[in-house]
Structure formats: structure tokens, C-alpha cells
Amino acid sequence: MLGVPLIDGGTVRLPQLIGLSRALDMILTGRPVKAQEALAFGLANRVVPDGQALQLALELAEQISAFPQLCLRADRNSAYHAVFDSASFTQAMQYEVDHGVPVVLAEAVTGARQFRDGMGRGGTFSKSKL
């Protein structure tokens, strides 16, 4: 510890994300957290071999960018709202509905048709892999 307090939200958000005990361990000791521990804590979603992170990140970005963007953003915003902004489950659910209904009207019919035709089943979103 260098005498520099966390003033970037670290002491507020980290305990919400990984629990108070783990957050305090990281905050108070300043120790490095390696890949497998970060994965176990939920700080990382994936661990890849050395030298492959950029390639995986680019593939993930390409996959995510291919999804309908209104839906993707509405779902992402709702998840953040539920965790960080909602005072209750009811408020979080209301936010999801209020911000999801316009997307249903804009994108969901096409998405439901694609699902009916096989896209997305079993986690496969590419027609070439169906």
C-alpha cells in the first residue's frame, strides 16, 4: 500500500462484485491477483494461454457486434441498472420492462423468426454452423 486511497469507486463497487471479504483482501493487501484467482472471483470471464488474449478479444468483439444492438444495449443497461442503480427487485424489473418493450417492437420479431429457423439454438449463432 502506497498511501494512495482508492477514489475511483474501487472500495464501493469491488465489494458489490466479489463480496466484502475478497474485496478487503485485495484492497488492504494490494497483492497481485493472478488469472485463475481472478476467474474464481468473477473478475475475469475467461483465461486464455499467453499471447492469445488479443485474438480472443477480437473474436468476442466481432461476435457481440453481430448481435442486434438495440437488444444488446438494453439488456446490458438493465443488468447494470439492476446491480448498481435499483433500490429493489421491483424497480429493476420495471426498468427492464420499460426499456425492453421498445426493443421488442424494433428487433424482437426478426430475432424470434431467426430462432424459430434454428439460429441461436445450442449457443450457435452462425448459419454456417447450424
Side-chain angles (χ1 to χ4, degrees):
M1 186 160 242
L2 302 173
V4 179
L6 293 176
I7 56 172
D8 60 356
T11 63
V12 176
R13 294 183 68 190
L14 193 59
Q16 291 178 334
L17 294 172
I18 67 171
L20 181 60
S21 178
R22 288 176 170 167
L24 283 175
D25 178 32
M26 291 176 63
I27 292 165
L28 299 179
T29 66
R31 69 178 179 81
V33 175
K34 294 188 178 187
Q36 289 301 325
E37 187 176 21
L39 184 63
F41 281 9
L43 292 172
N45 295 333
R46 295 166 177 80
V47 175
V48 298
D50 286 345
Q52 294 185 19
L54 178 60
Q55 182 59 38
L56 180 67
L58 292 171
E59 289 171 9
L60 185 59
E62 186 175 308
Q63 177 188 0
I64 292 170
S65 68
F67 291 137
Q69 292 299 296
L70 290 176
C71 181
L72 183 129
R73 290 179 185 143
D75 287 348
R76 180 184 180 277
N77 289 340
S78 182
Y80 272 100
H81 181 79
V83 172
F84 298 116
D85 297 331
S86 290
S88 70
F89 176 78
T90 302
Q91 286 178 339
M93 290 298 296
Q94 190 62 55
Y95 182 95
E96 180 182 73
V97 170
D98 291 347
H99 294 84
V101 168
V103 175
V104 169
L105 300 174
E107 292 180 344
V109 172
T110 300
R113 237 183 244 122
Q114 290 173 331
F115 184 78
R116 178 198 66 202
D117 294 341
M119 187 176 285
R121 296 186 185 193
T124 303
F125 292 94
S126 170
K127 286 185 179 182
S128 65
K129 295 181 182 178
L130 291 177

